[in-house]
Amino acid sequence: MSLRHALLALLTAQPMSGYDVTKVFDRSVTFVWHAPHSQIYPELRRMEIDGLIVAESSPRGKHGIKRIYSVTATGREELRRWVCEQTPPEQVRDAQRLKSAYLEFDDFDNARRHFKAHLEHYELWERLWATHVEQLAARATPLIRERLARTDPADHEAIVAYKVHAYQGLVAQARAEVAWAEEGLRMVDELEAAGSRAPDVAGSAR
Amino acid sequence: MSLRHALLALLTAQPMSGYDVTKVFDRSVTFVWHAPHSQIYPELRRMEIDGLIVAESSPRGKHGIKRIYSVTATGREELRRWVCEQTPPEQVRDAQRLKSAYLEFDDFDNARRHFKAHLEHYELWERLWATHVEQLAARATPLIRERLARTDPADHEAIVAYKVHAYQGLVAQARAEVAWAEEGLRMVDELEAAGSRAPDVAGSAR
DNA sequence: ACAGCCATGTAAGTCGTTACATGATTGC
DNA sequence: GCAATCATGTAACGACTTACATGGCTGT
């Protein structure tokens, strides 16, 4: 149940509405966890019921209510518990890689298209994450400013260092993916040059 | 629905029982996709209903039936369709990294334990995947032998190359994770040496 | 006889995706 | 007046996890 902890972590920086959270989650580059609003709103409600957060409600129009959530002492304790706990590493489940292992069912052009898309995707994210690392290191994002403003200055160095390091990990991953896709493109060219049979039919032999 | 395609891909190498598949999935290093048997058995049944695979059944003891599944022409076509189709890259959802970004809620010793576990995990998998790459390149695993025996020799080079490349991607990922964890350990040492405050209480300031 | 692995399932519950739905405010 | 964006939800379905459950075969 990491969505809950992602939300808790975010709200320790700054009290926010559900909408603000969805923005940070799916529009900004700020996060290592994706979730759609249809998952976020109900989870915030459940967290409120469980006493991890409290909402300050104000009316919005005739019907709606706007809720600004902030983390309670219980929520803070739960976040601490989760961070301290060792969680077993996730199991591999990598559809992109799985597919790449069976490209003999596809033709060379499409295989190249496949690796090109991979390349472009990770080049983009490498840039986004790298930019975010810079901004974190410069303590320049609104969120890190808020977080630092709410914590003891003696902790600031560690708070920033941990976040910078986490995003650097994502940058490194992205670089590895870019290199892998480039290698894939070279491989397809070589296979084609070596005159491997048009693989459209490969695998259908029996 | 990639489990379905992972199963299809596997069964194109060689007809197998559900049990064999679970072995390949969770005991051997052979795969880039994890799934427990409780997910595999029902999925195989559904795939049979959908005409993607057929079972050759033989009785086992008084009650049980042993089923050996093989891929039909429809199944083969479905696999081809899936491989050719461009799938959007997965969204980030990385609990380990999320946690690492909030280690200020933990103490230095436990933060180190966290990175050590990460390091050991990926060192292990790097070895396992690297070994698998070697064995694939040497065409030495039972599964790749079977697969090659059932396909046109003109395709063998591509079939092996794609699989080798896929697993090399996992090896590269694992190396990046190892380097990241080592960097994390250095970071914690530096933070401690620099005398950042005991972070047990960090973040609880308000 | 017992251990260990072969072999196959069900069930309950959680997590996540996709689509549907509604209304308010702000700026042009 | 309209578009864009703010803001908040529900519903259905599918994917995945964890635990429970059963029985066969093989070697010692």
Side-chain angles (χ1 to χ4, degrees):
Chain A
M1 223 204 298
S2 282
L3 172 59
R4 171 162 292 206
H5 300 105
L7 292 168
L8 272 179
L10 197 56
L11 292 171
T12 54
Q14 185 178 5
M16 276 185 224
S17 71
Y19 185 76
D20 294 333
V21 173
T22 64
K23 291 307 100 169
V24 177
F25 265 62
D26 54 55
R27 279 233 268 272
S28 113
V29 198
T30 315
F31 233 62
V32 297
W33 195 274
H34 162 82
H37 73 271
S38 63
Q39 212 187 345
I40 290 171
Y41 285 112
E43 184 61 28
L44 287 169
R45 294 301 196 92
R46 281 191 292 268
M47 286 164 72
E48 193 183 6
I49 290 168
D50 294 345
L52 303 177
I53 56 179
V54 280
E56 204 192 324
S57 306
S58 50
R60 228 184 58 89
K62 291 185 200 82
H63 316 291
I65 300 175
K66 184 188 175 90
R67 292 183 181 80
I68 305 288
Y69 292 103
S70 38
V71 179
T72 64
T74 314
R76 198 170 272 282
E77 183 45 39
E78 169 57 20
L79 178 59
R80 218 183 64 78
R81 193 199 57 71
W82 176 76
V83 171
C84 296
E85 169 194 272
Q86 297 259 50
T87 34
E90 283 103 283
Q91 308 272 18
V92 192
R93 198 169 282 136
D94 188 335
Q96 228 60 41
R97 201 92 52 190
L98 173 63
K99 193 173 282 198
S100 80
Y102 292 94
L103 287 174
E104 69 260 24
F105 288 92
D106 203 348
D107 61 48
F108 291 131
D109 280 345
N110 213 36
R112 270 187 285 259
R113 222 166 288 141
H114 183 269
F115 286 122
K116 259 175 214 151
H118 198 85
L119 184 70
E120 276 159 27
H121 175 77
Y122 283 103
E123 274 177 344
L124 174 64
W125 282 89
E126 188 199 327
R127 273 198 301 277
L128 294 173
W129 282 321
T131 304
H132 193 61
V133 165
E134 281 166 33
Q135 295 197 309
L136 274 175
R139 308 179 180 196
T141 73
L143 215 58
I144 194 80
R145 279 171 189 279
E146 282 294 331
R147 186 178 295 280
L148 296 180
R150 280 158 218 270
T151 48
D152 188 313
D155 301 322
H156 287 188
E157 201 188 335
I159 289 172
V160 172
Y162 287 135
K163 280 154 203 61
V164 164
H165 177 250
Y167 281 94
Q168 277 173 341
L170 291 171
V171 171
Q173 278 240 2
R175 278 204 241 277
E177 291 305 325
V178 167
W180 180 76
E182 283 168 347
E183 181 55 36
L185 287 170
R186 273 195 295 279
M187 172 186 63
V188 174
D189 288 347
E190 272 167 38
L191 286 170
E192 195 175 36
S196 285
R197 192 157 64 92
D200 212 341
V201 267
S204 61
R206 172 64 223 249
Chain B
M1 224 205 297
S2 281
L3 172 59
R4 171 163 293 206
H5 301 105
L7 292 168
L8 272 179
L10 197 56
L11 292 170
T12 55
Q14 185 180 4
M16 276 186 224
S17 70
Y19 185 76
D20 294 334
V21 173
T22 65
K23 291 305 99 170
V24 177
F25 265 62
D26 52 57
R27 279 233 267 270
S28 113
V29 198
T30 315
F31 232 62
V32 297
W33 195 275
H34 161 83
H37 74 271
S38 64
Q39 211 187 344
I40 290 171
Y41 285 112
E43 184 61 28
L44 287 170
R45 294 300 196 90
R46 281 191 292 268
M47 287 163 72
E48 193 182 7
I49 290 168
D50 293 346
L52 303 177
I53 55 179
V54 279
E56 204 192 325
S57 305
S58 51
R60 227 183 59 88
K62 292 183 201 84
H63 317 289
I65 301 175
K66 185 189 175 93
R67 293 183 180 80
I68 304 289
Y69 291 103
S70 38
V71 179
T72 63
T74 313
R76 199 170 271 284
E77 183 44 40
E78 168 57 20
L79 178 59
R80 219 184 64 78
R81 194 199 57 71
W82 176 77
V83 171
C84 296
E85 170 195 87
Q86 297 259 48
T87 34
E90 285 103 283
Q91 310 272 18
V92 192
R93 199 169 280 136
D94 188 336
Q96 227 61 40
R97 202 93 51 191
L98 173 63
K99 195 173 281 200
S100 79
Y102 293 94
L103 287 174
E104 69 260 25
F105 287 92
D106 203 348
D107 60 50
F108 291 130
D109 280 345
N110 212 36
R112 268 188 286 260
R113 222 166 287 140
H114 183 269
F115 285 122
K116 260 176 213 149
H118 198 85
L119 183 70
E120 276 159 27
H121 176 77
Y122 283 102
E123 273 178 344
L124 173 64
W125 282 88
E126 188 199 327
R127 274 199 300 280
L128 293 172
W129 282 322
T131 304
H132 193 60
V133 165
E134 280 166 34
Q135 295 198 311
L136 275 175
R139 307 178 182 198
T141 72
L143 215 59
I144 193 79
R145 279 171 190 281
E146 281 294 333
R147 185 178 295 279
L148 295 179
R150 281 156 215 270
T151 48
D152 189 312
D155 301 322
H156 288 188
E157 201 189 335
I159 290 172
V160 172
Y162 286 135
K163 280 153 203 61
V164 164
H165 177 249
Y167 282 94
Q168 278 172 343
L170 291 172
V171 171
Q173 279 241 1
R175 279 203 241 277
E177 290 305 326
V178 167
W180 180 77
E182 282 167 348
E183 181 55 36
L185 288 169
R186 272 195 296 279
M187 172 185 63
V188 175
D189 288 347
E190 272 167 38
L191 286 170
E192 195 174 34
S196 285
R197 193 156 63 94
D200 212 340
V201 268
S204 61
R206 183 51 236 240

